[in-house]
Amino acid sequence: MKELIATVKQVENIAENVWALTVTLPESVGEIKGGQFLNISTGDGSRLLKRPFGIVKAEGNDVTVCFQVKGEGTVALSQAKAGDKLAVLLPLGNGFIIPESAKNIVVIGGGVGIFPLVPVICGNKDKKFYSYIGFRNKNCACLLDEFGKSEKLTVVTDDGSLGKKNNAVNAYFEDIDNVPADLIIACGPPVMLRALKQKMEEKGVKTPCLVSLEERMGCGIGACLVCVCKKSDGSNARVCKDGPVFDINEVQL
């Protein structure tokens, strides 16, 4: 983990209200795993807290994150210009650890939760991925070229404007008998992850499953306890420090 001053390389609107921000780091931070994230300043001194975003791509010293514009901080980031300087802290959290024995991996993502899943697909070329991705509508769809590197890609939308009218979890379970699975990885809103866990329990699915949790964060390093979640044994875990990736049976959803 390093705190650095990065230079904005590119800011691009990639879907409805969704932006991709690429920054160039002044030095290497070592290997970045899919599921890890960074904290980045907004470039406005009146907003002291950095914003946490899952890392979508890391090539050399260039790092790309994607985010949905929701508040003043993300508005400011969407308006950043090439050459702007932003403070970054990275890499943070524990990413997806893919066992060598897992050859066929099911990927389930919803909305902006798809972002941490991209580097897993792009960074494990010796694996076969079967991806089920859901968006609100066709205007919200993004990064389909990256997910297109999967052995199989199923895209669904809430309104049926792209692919079938469905959600990512149901899309997978409707196809489960046709897809080999040594491992499931998932990221999306809490309601999606709860539905996934419930479906697995109802169907008796014992396939190992890793989920990346979405939580509000303050410091990003485990000190402020803003992002605490409950574990299945009743203890607490810090999503930023102990996660954001957990075994689905390890946490309460």
Side-chain angles (χ1 to χ4, degrees), residues 154-232:
T154 300
V155 180
V156 296
T157 49
D158 293 346
D159 63 359
S161 57
L162 179 64
K164 290 184 178 180
K165 184 177 181 180
N166 208 345
N167 62 66
V169 172
N170 284 341
Y172 168 58
F173 278 92
E174 289 173 2
D175 200 29
I176 190 170
D177 293 336
N178 303 315
V179 178
D182 303 314
L183 177 70
I184 300 170
I185 64 172
C187 186
V191 64
M192 189 201 92
L193 299 182
R194 283 195 294 271
L196 174 60
K197 188 172 186 177
Q198 182 178 353
K199 282 275 192 180
M200 291 181 68
E201 291 171 351
E202 290 175 354
K203 303 291 186 181
V205 176
K206 302 300 183 183
T207 306
C209 179
L210 301 175
V211 295
S212 181
L213 303 188
E214 297 178 345
E215 289 286 348
R216 287 186 174 274
M217 296 181 185
C219 67
I221 57 174
C224 71
L225 306 182
V226 167
C227 64
V228 166
C229 70
K230 281 288 185 184
K231 300 182 72 174
S232 298

Side-chain angles (χ1 to χ4, degrees), residues 47-215:
R47 301 181 183 90
L48 298 180
L49 287 180
K50 296 181 178 68
R51 270 51 176 183
F53 299 120
I55 295 170
V56 175
K57 184 186 299 183
E59 294 182 339
N61 287 353
D62 287 348
V63 175
T64 299
V65 297
C66 297
F67 59 90
Q68 184 179 45
V69 173
K70 297 185 74 173
E72 293 180 354
T74 46
V75 167
L77 283 171
S78 71
Q79 296 172 347
K81 300 292 188 293
D84 287 354
K85 304 293 185 181
L86 299 173
V88 295
L89 183 65
L90 80 164
L92 298 173
N94 299 301
F96 290 99
I97 297 176
I98 309 300
E100 181 61 32
S101 59
K103 303 300 183 183
N104 298 289
I105 301 167
V106 170
V107 179
I108 302 175
V112 296
I114 68 172
F115 302 147
L117 303 171
V118 169
V120 182
I121 295 174
C122 295
N124 291 274
K125 294 181 173 56
D126 59 332
K127 310 290 187 182
K128 291 184 178 179
F129 293 92
Y130 303 84
S131 298
Y132 299 82
I133 307 301
F135 299 99
R136 184 180 300 115
N137 56 56
K138 66 179 181 180
N139 296 326
C140 297
C142 57
L143 302 179
L144 296 185
D145 287 345
E146 285 76 3
F147 281 99
K149 297 173 183 176
S150 306
E151 186 78 7
K152 179 177 184 177
L153 171 61
T154 300
V155 180
V156 296
T157 49
D158 293 346
D159 63 359
S161 57
L162 179 64
K164 290 184 178 180
K165 184 177 181 180
N166 208 345
N167 62 66
V169 172
N170 284 341
Y172 168 58
F173 278 92
E174 289 173 2
D175 200 29
I176 190 170
D177 293 336
N178 303 315
V179 178
D182 303 314
L183 177 70
I184 300 170
I185 64 172
C187 186
V191 64
M192 189 201 92
L193 299 182
R194 283 195 294 271
L196 174 60
K197 188 172 186 177
Q198 182 178 353
K199 282 275 192 180
M200 291 181 68
E201 291 171 351
E202 290 175 354
K203 303 291 186 181
V205 176
K206 302 300 183 183
T207 306
C209 179
L210 301 175
V211 295
S212 181
L213 303 188
E214 297 178 345
E215 289 286 348

